[in-house]
Amino acid sequence: MINLKKKVAVIAATSLALSGVLVGATVEPAHAASVKTYQVAVSSSSKPLSYEQNGKLKGYEVEALKQIDKQLPNVKFKYHAVSQNAELVGLDSGKYDLAVNGFYKNAERQKKYVFGKQNDGLSLVRVYYNKKQFSSSVTDLNDLVGKELAPVNANGGMYNLLTTWNKSHKKQITVKTTSGIAMQQLLTGVNSGKYDALIDPSNLGEASIIKSQKLTNVATSKPVRAYPTYILFSKKNKSLATSVDKALKTLKDDGNLKKLSVKYFGENVFNYKVKEN
């Protein structure tokens, strides 16, 4: 009888042990299954924000996203380099879960997308002007009244900035629009005197173009506006936006975003205060 009890006990213990092994073996797959992959749209040609070089994605926003990914153990980002128009179309259709490209917050976008509370950067708007066409340094938008300004994108932030400024000022800035002209062409036009000035966010590689093309007639103003930039999320990804907010806050506090800003923009953009109007 005693031997029978021992045998039962041994069998029971063995079963429990095997059960423990099986349970332990399933821990890793269960953990792996909890990691969700999100499709991220980034620009393929918005240097230094995001761009392709030798088949690899680089740029401030690309590296910022990789840092965010490290902060979120249950999240994995898969990147897709496309045009800005394709980013938004893909976000609208559900092809992408989030997108980055130095996006500003506006009423139209707030209706269509989810914005986190934390900005991922700061877009410093500067005026690039022909030294010969101005008697003194450009310090604000008043200096552009009566000047031949390079055309701006009709659907872009600079068009909105200039037309909004005109609504509250008697003296008007002449605003011309374009469907798209390369930055190098615009800056070359300022250097030659075709345009008196160009107004644009300074995170689009203007400084490197001026230097590499030796555009010696082009001067650069201090920031005339400082817009916070945000990651855009599709409506179904509100919880992801909340998680990314926490990661961005950590990366700001520990200085990582500052380091990336200095690396790609040549300065810490977070030193500037937001100035949108």
Side-chain angles (χ1 to χ4, degrees), residues 23-249:
V23 171
T26 60
V27 169
E28 185 61 32
H31 174 71
S34 68
V35 177
K36 184 173 181 179
T37 299
Y38 293 91
Q39 308 303 318
V40 185
V42 301
S43 173
S44 59
S45 57
S46 293
K47 189 176 183 179
L49 290 174
S50 61
Y51 58 99
E52 288 184 299
Q53 188 176 69
N54 299 323
K56 293 183 179 181
L57 274 173
K58 294 186 176 183
Y60 171 81
E61 288 186 318
V62 172
E63 289 203 34
L65 283 167
K66 289 180 179 178
Q67 293 279 356
I68 292 168
D69 202 341
K70 290 179 181 178
Q71 295 285 327
L72 306 175
N74 296 324
V75 168
K76 181 180 179 181
F77 291 147
K78 184 176 180 180
Y79 303 96
H80 303 270
V82 295
S83 68
Q84 179 171 319
N85 185 56
E87 285 187 72
L88 298 179
V89 170
L91 204 58
D92 294 343
S93 68
K95 183 177 182 180
Y96 306 127
D97 296 298
L98 59 155
V100 294
N101 200 345
F103 290 115
Y104 295 170
K105 184 186 290 187
N106 59 39
E108 183 180 351
R109 286 175 179 167
Q110 285 180 290
K111 290 178 182 178
K112 297 178 69 175
Y113 312 114
V114 172
F115 284 80
K117 294 180 180 179
Q118 295 287 333
N119 60 312
D120 70 336
L122 209 60
S123 177
L124 307 178
V125 176
R126 301 178 191 267
V127 177
Y128 302 89
Y129 59 99
N130 186 296
K131 299 173 184 177
K132 298 178 181 178
Q133 306 299 328
F134 291 81
S135 57
S136 59
S137 299
V138 172
T139 57
D140 57 43
L141 297 186
N142 285 295
D143 297 325
L144 301 180
V145 173
K147 298 296 184 179
E148 181 71 22
L149 204 59
V152 296
N153 191 312
N155 297 312
M158 295 304 95
Y159 177 81
N160 184 64
L161 168 61
L162 295 171
T163 53
T164 299
W165 189 91
N166 277 341
K167 289 176 183 178
S168 58
H169 292 79
K170 289 183 178 180
K171 293 183 178 180
Q172 302 283 286
I173 297 172
T174 301
V175 183
K176 295 182 179 179
T177 60
T178 177
S179 57
I181 301 176
M183 180 60 64
Q184 183 172 321
Q185 188 176 342
L186 291 172
L187 287 170
T188 300
V190 173
N191 189 68
S192 69
K194 178 181 180 180
Y195 310 120
D196 294 328
L198 161 72
I199 184 169
D200 225 28
S202 59
N203 56 4
L204 302 179
E206 293 91 343
S208 61
I209 293 174
I210 293 170
K211 183 178 180 180
S212 65
Q213 298 299 311
K214 299 179 180 179
L215 305 181
T216 56
N217 290 328
V218 179
T220 304
S221 76
K222 291 182 178 180
V224 294
R225 293 293 186 277
Y227 292 100
T229 59
Y230 295 89
I231 299 171
L232 299 187
F233 300 87
S234 63
K235 288 289 187 180
K236 67 180 181 180
N237 286 301
K238 290 183 179 180
S239 60
L240 176 62
T242 301
S243 297
V244 169
D245 267 347
K246 294 178 182 178
L248 280 171
K249 180 67 166 57

